[in-house]
Amino acid sequence: MWYFCDILGRVRHSPFIGLYLLGFWIAPVSLHPQCLDFKPPFKPQEDLQFCAMYRNFGCCDSAKDQELMAKFYKIVDNFDNYAYANCAGYVQDLLCQECSPYAAHLFDAEDPSTPIRTLPGLCPDYCSQFWLKCRSTITLLSDDLQLAQAKPDQVHFCQHLELEDPDYCYPHLLSNQQLTQNLGHVRADPEGCLQLCLEEVANGLRNPLAMVHANDGTHRFFIAEQVGLVWTYLPDRSKLEKPFLNITKAVLTSPWEGDERGFLGLTFHPNYKYNGKLYVYYSVEIGFDERIRVSEFRVSPGDMNVVDHASERIILEVDEPASNHNGGMVMFADDGYLYIFTGDGGMAGDPFGKYGNAQNKSALLGKVLRINVDDNDRGPLYRIPSDNPFVREHGARPEVYAYGVRNMWRCSVDRGDPLTKEGKGRIFCGDVGQNKFEEIDIIEKGRNYGWRAKEGFSCYDKKLCANSSLDDVLPIYAYPHKMGKSVTGGYVYRGCEYPNLNGMYIFGDFMSGRMMSLQENKNTGQWNYHEICMGIGLTCAFPGLINNYYQYIISFAEDEAGELYFMSTGVPSATSPTGVVYKLVDPSRRAPPRKCHYDPLPVRVKSKLIKFRPKESEYPVRPHPTESAVSESDKDWLQELMDILKEQEAAVVTTTLPQTTTKPPRHTRRKNRRKKGNGAVRLAGDEQGRDDRGRVEIFANGEWGTVCDDLWNTKNAAVVCRQLGFRFALKASKHSEFGEGKSLRILLDDVQCEGTEESLLDCQHTDIGMHNCAHYEDAGVICGNSDYVDA
């Protein structure tokens, strides 16, 4: 939810070194399986014949297994019967460590400054036995001159094969429970929070709120900005300079933070490849009236990457009585019909009419609509599907498919299990709550989702809630506002690359920045909740991966291959270019090589291409390896990366690094006390007693108290850090990272600073002592004096 910048940022996310942070070394805190191609291990598609001990999980496919077997027979061809009987097992063990889930550690390949070993790191006792029985095989196994020179001396030889981290030496790592427990499964921290990583895909976007694909085989993706621009991205993540669609003059929005109006939805017709049709959902102003509009466009016949703007046909318009709760999702489901998700009309509590818009089936607001837009070139622009549930109900709008929704923000269709297709066609939605709860629903035909009678599982309008005819369907999950205040619906993961995530519904919260998941228990039908945290320690120490993101989670997306993404921003304004698209990555297990390979159809490009450059890292982009072994292109990339790291290390690491990895006891010492006066701040709760970080505590109205993290960002943190005498705010920390200040009252909530104020009290905030949060949302900061370039 924050970005380290310049030197600190680049070193922080180096995939090959520990965490250098302000001169301190943080040792690995969890297992980190990694192959020689710098990627996670996998389960081979075909059984391994030679290195069968890694047939269930490791770093070799059948081709690599056969290669190692051929090498084995080439070596043992030099053996007599005695050597074969005593040494063949050792040779096989050593060769097969390239297949170990920890191959990168065994061969010292996780650090580019150390040449890759030709033999794996061995534990002293095993090495001694190998040397005593089979030292004659050393030159057959390795062409390393240093090993050959060390061969006559057992001590020297085994010292040469020792690893700096003895936990990873062979064969003891096989019996190390810390390294083998849950190997290959998604890792969780002690609180059960799942550890995932991210890959930056696009940046510099203004409130990116939709990313869709055309399902036309090109594997392009199209990203929509709230202002009314849609951009084309190619599979290599380069962006076309000319927008795919530009309706900024028609779209109604503003630079105000939190404005819900604008370009809100985009989807392609299931037969787009043949008919070139797409549909958009956006806010417009007609005279003095605000409306939501759903329009159909066609792609230009002369350029497959540009929409024919003159082709717009307005499919549907609905008056909006207020500027909020505009809905915005538009998509096609498996039945081929167009689904439109409208908000309840805005304000608060759906105050329109006797029962509100959402419970009124004669109104289009607060609904899930379903229409047929096929074969509409002549005649009506849309038709009503004959099986729509209220076609024959007097007074009901025939477009209504489901009702009783408040403001569904982001829905998706489950592709189904890749093998069994179980779950295929289910529609998941996040429905934003009023005062207390956010909810996740599965949309079914004709069902009532409860609003305004209910919010989540609880009653909102007690009179309506008690009505026996309500017959509402409950959400599959609801969470209170202490966890987040604006749900962003996501997707059930059905991609190929990360099999551990299959069946996991991943979603988020716009306000709190919390990433969450649900997994269905097939025996009970219940959905089990797990929070998703970004990987700590070395969990995300792979090339190109990061472990932080901007707070405001706007939307989720699926590419043509089914991989999962989300969009977030640092400033929730339609005009702020801080939007970033991230791909979700499971660092614990990947699919086998070549299983997920696809060949995109060619794209005829007439616009200038803008190559993608990650904002998060200045590292050179590593070429994709084609084999398990390190290629020549890998070596060039590693050398370039090593040069950068050396420069950074010389610039940053100037203090002696402590050797201990034990945590000191927790304490509550307050640092950076200033003279007591309204607005004074202090930091507390850092376990190591550092003066540059901690939970923010503020003095107001004669008492010290904490600050809630609902809108906590780097601008707020900058005010605190500057007040304490630091030049920069390196992180705006959230979710009580520095502990909960339970002995104090919460004094500030919803703080919004410009970054130039003298104290937090000069920023926008709720009244002192008024809040809608809890201490597990206590805000904190990490400050510093190192200069940096804003990423």
Side-chain angles (χ1 to χ4, degrees):
M1 303 173 192
W2 41 269
Y3 274 62
F4 276 95
C5 303
D6 193 48
I7 292 173
L8 285 173
R10 295 195 296 267
V11 174
R12 168 65 178 86
H13 297 297
S14 165
F16 303 106
I17 58 179
L19 167 55
Y20 281 118
L21 184 56
L22 303 180
F24 289 92
W25 171 270
I26 308 295
V29 296
S30 62
L31 54 93
H32 182 240
Q34 186 179 10
C35 299
L36 291 176
D37 62 356
F38 303 99
K39 293 182 179 180
F42 53 88
K43 178 179 173 58
Q45 293 191 78
E46 301 174 20
D47 276 346
L48 305 186
Q49 297 178 6
F50 181 61
C51 298
M53 66 286 284
Y54 298 118
R55 66 181 179 275
N56 292 321
F57 191 65
C59 292
C60 290
D61 57 11
S62 58
K64 184 64 179 179
D65 184 58
Q66 293 295 313
E67 177 189 321
L68 293 172
M69 185 188 294
K71 187 173 181 179
F72 170 80
Y73 284 118
K74 185 177 180 181
I75 291 173
V76 299
D77 278 347
N78 298 282
F79 288 3
D80 55 23
N81 289 338
Y82 176 85
Y84 190 89
N86 286 277
C87 298
Y90 281 106
V91 172
Q92 182 178 15
D93 284 347
L94 297 180
L95 291 175
C96 285
Q97 293 321 300
E98 287 192 39
C99 302
S100 166
Y102 292 104
H105 300 278
L106 284 163
F107 287 88
D108 243 358
E110 78 277 10
D111 185 347
S113 64
T114 305
I116 295 176
R117 296 167 176 259
T118 54
L119 290 181
L122 303 180
C123 302
D125 53 349
Y126 181 91
C127 181
S128 297
Q129 291 298 315
F130 168 69
W131 185 88
L132 289 170
K133 295 179 180 179
C134 302
R135 59 182 176 274
S136 60
T137 67
I138 292 171
T139 53
L140 298 174
L141 283 162
S142 170
D143 57 3
D144 186 336
L145 293 178
Q146 289 185 332
L147 277 180
Q149 292 170 0
K151 174 183 171 183
D153 186 327
Q154 174 188 331
V155 174
H156 188 197
F157 174 78
C158 289
Q159 284 177 343
H160 195 78
L161 289 183
E162 282 184 7
L163 293 172
E164 286 188 18
D165 189 344
D167 288 337
Y168 287 109
C169 72
Y170 180 81
H172 291 179
L173 87 167
L174 300 176
S175 56
N176 187 328
Q177 287 193 354
Q178 284 189 319
L179 297 180
T180 57
Q181 189 175 19
N182 296 322
L183 185 62
H185 298 280
V186 179
R187 290 192 294 280
D189 67 14
E191 285 74 41
C193 198
L194 304 180
Q195 307 264 300
L196 297 183
C197 304
L198 304 175
E199 188 177 344
E200 192 179 331
V201 172
N203 52 48
L205 295 157
R206 290 171 292 185
N207 262 25
L209 42 70
M211 170 181 160
V212 297
H213 62 86
N215 199 31
D216 61 355
T218 64
H219 289 265
R220 292 173 295 171
F221 52 95
F222 302 84
I223 300 177
E225 295 178 318
Q226 189 175 349
V227 291
L229 285 166
V230 180
W231 302 99
T232 305
Y233 288 78
L234 300 183
D236 67 357
R237 300 177 183 173
S238 57
K239 171 185 171 182
L240 272 62
E241 186 178 54
K242 187 176 182 180
F244 179 69
L245 177 66
N246 183 352
I247 55 171
T248 51
K249 292 183 179 179
V251 169
L252 172 65
T253 190
S254 76
W256 304 335
E257 290 191 15
D259 192 341
E260 298 178 24
R261 302 167 302 173
F263 189 106
L264 302 177
L266 166 68
T267 190
F268 289 83
H269 193 282
N271 292 320
Y272 172 80
K273 186 175 181 179
Y274 306 104
N275 65 24
K277 291 183 178 181
L278 58 140
Y279 299 83
V280 301
Y281 184 129
Y282 61 101
S283 306
V284 294
E285 189 171 35
I286 308 295
F288 294 102
D289 297 327
E290 292 185 10
R291 299 178 186 174
I292 53 172
R293 173 184 290 173
V294 177
S295 287
E296 175 188 273
F297 287 88
R298 286 181 184 266
V299 72
S300 169
D303 190 340
M304 67 186 297
N305 296 305
V306 174
V307 165
D308 177 3
H309 290 72
S311 69
E312 181 176 13
R313 298 196 299 167
I314 298 171
I315 301 293
L316 185 71
E317 279 189 350
V318 183
D319 284 331
E320 277 283 354
S323 296
N324 59 335
H325 301 186
N326 299 296
M329 191 71 201
V330 58
M331 69 183 191
F332 287 89
D334 283 3
D335 55 17
Y337 295 132
L338 183 65
Y339 287 70
I340 301 164
F341 299 79
T342 63
D344 66 5
M347 297 192 188
D350 193 4
F352 308 101
K354 186 175 181 180
Y355 304 112
N357 282 324
Q359 292 296 320
N360 179 5
K361 285 179 277 189
S362 66
L364 293 179
L365 294 171
K367 305 296 187 298
V368 180
L369 310 178
R370 183 173 76 152
I371 60 176
N372 183 353
V373 292
D374 286 345
D375 304 319
N376 66 349
D377 293 334
R378 295 179 182 177
L381 292 175
Y382 70 86
R383 295 177 174 85
I384 304 299
S386 60
D387 64 338
N388 265 16
F390 306 110
V391 169
R392 294 172 181 82
E393 182 174 318
H394 178 70
R397 289 294 297 255
E399 297 93 340
V400 174
Y401 182 77
Y403 65 105
V405 304
R406 184 176 179 273
N407 190 34
M408 286 187 165
W409 183 247
R410 292 318 180 227
C411 303
S412 63
V413 178
D414 186 357
R415 295 188 179 204
D417 184 273
L419 296 177
T420 68
K421 298 304 176 185
E422 184 177 357
K424 181 173 170 56
R426 294 181 298 182
I427 298 174
F428 289 78
C429 288
D431 199 5
V432 179
Q434 181 68 49
N435 297 325
K436 293 182 178 180
F437 296 100
E438 307 295 306
E439 67 183 67
I440 300 295
D441 298 299
I442 296 180
I443 304 303
E444 298 173 350
K445 181 169 71 174
R447 300 307 302 270
N448 178 4
Y449 287 85
W451 176 251
R452 75 185 184 198
K454 288 184 178 178
E455 179 187 11
F457 294 104
S458 71
C459 289
Y460 178 80
D461 183 321
K462 294 182 179 179
K463 185 176 180 181
L464 278 179
C465 191
N467 191 325
S468 60
S469 65
L470 186 64
D471 190 29
D472 62 315
V473 58
L474 294 175
I476 63 169
Y477 181 73
Y479 61 92
H481 276 192
K482 64 183 182 180
M483 292 174 60
K485 298 180 180 178
S486 183
V487 67
T488 300
Y491 283 79
V492 178
Y493 180 84
R494 300 297 189 184
C496 172
E497 295 180 16
Y498 306 108
N500 282 338
L501 304 184
N502 181 41
M504 188 182 293
Y505 179 72
I506 296 177
F507 63 106
D509 189 277
F510 175 79
M511 289 299 295
S512 68
R514 192 182 299 264
M515 193 85 65
M516 297 169 273
S517 73
L518 299 173
Q519 190 96 34
E520 186 178 18
N521 183 321
K522 295 176 183 177
N523 295 322
T524 65
Q526 299 297 308
W527 291 80
N528 298 322
Y529 170 83
H530 285 284
E531 188 169 351
I532 293 175
C533 301
M534 295 298 98
I536 56 176
L538 293 179
T539 303
C540 298
F542 293 96
L545 297 192
I546 57 176
N547 65 353
N548 58 82
Y549 56 90
Y550 281 138
Q551 170 187 343
Y552 300 101
I553 301 174
I554 306 173
S555 190
F556 284 80
E558 214 177 30
D559 67 15
E560 195 165 346
E563 300 307 319
L564 191 55
Y565 304 75
F566 73 94
M567 288 140 274
S568 69
T569 185
V571 181
S573 162
T575 57
S576 173
T578 55
V580 181
V581 179
Y582 304 96
K583 180 180 180 180
L584 283 158
V585 174
D586 174 17
S588 59
R589 179 186 171 196
R590 59 169 156 153
R594 292 175 291 280
K595 180 180 180 181
C596 304
H597 176 78
Y598 57 83
D599 293 309
L601 294 176
V603 177
R604 297 185 301 275
V605 175
K606 295 186 177 182
S607 172
K608 180 182 176 182
L609 288 178
I610 302 171
K611 293 295 183 183
F612 171 63
R613 184 175 180 84
K615 293 282 187 184
E616 175 63 13
S617 173
E618 298 295 329
Y619 293 124
V621 178
R622 178 176 183 264
H624 293 287
T626 55
E627 302 173 356
S628 296
V630 179
S631 64
E632 287 302 317
S633 58
D634 284 326
K635 293 176 182 177
D636 295 339
W637 167 78
L638 287 172
Q639 185 57 54
E640 184 180 355
L641 179 58
M642 188 168 67
D643 292 342
I644 291 174
L645 289 175
K646 284 180 178 178
E647 292 176 9
Q648 294 171 353
E649 186 169 345
V652 176
V653 184
T654 57
T655 61
T656 304
L657 304 179
Q659 299 302 308
T660 178
T661 60
T662 356
K663 286 186 176 180
R666 192 171 182 84
H667 64 90
T668 57
R669 182 172 66 90
R670 267 76 177 185
K671 293 105 42 191
N672 288 306
R673 291 178 181 258
R674 300 177 72 88
K675 182 180 178 181
K676 282 191 179 181
N678 263 6
V681 289
R682 65 188 184 190
L683 302 182
D686 180 53
E687 293 177 336
Q688 298 182 29
R690 290 166 289 190
D691 292 333
D692 58 3
R693 67 198 66 196
R695 180 178 61 253
V696 174
E697 296 180 354
I698 186 166
F699 189 81
N701 292 351
E703 64 176 316
W704 286 99
T706 65
V707 181
C708 236
D709 67 17
D710 279 351
L711 297 175
W712 194 247
N713 57 34
T714 50
K715 288 183 179 179
N716 302 345
V719 172
V720 172
C721 290
R722 191 172 58 254
Q723 193 175 350
L724 293 173
F726 294 96
R727 294 178 63 196
F728 302 114
L730 301 180
K731 179 183 177 182
S733 75
K734 310 186 72 172
H735 305 314
S736 61
E737 179 180 341
F738 295 103
E740 300 181 13
K742 291 183 177 180
S743 62
L744 303 175
R745 284 206 308 146
I746 298 172
L747 294 183
L748 288 186
D749 191 6
D750 293 337
V751 179
Q752 296 184 71
C753 301
E754 293 297 323
T756 57
E757 293 87 347
E758 291 187 6
S759 83
L760 295 180
L761 296 184
D762 298 324
C763 306
Q764 294 184 39
H765 55 79
T766 57
D767 290 341
I768 294 173
M770 300 294 293
H771 63 86
N772 184 22
C773 56
H775 276 297
Y776 62 78
E777 298 175 276
D778 281 345
V781 295
I782 297 179
C783 306
N785 288 314
S786 299
D787 198 3
Y788 65 88
V789 177
D790 191 4

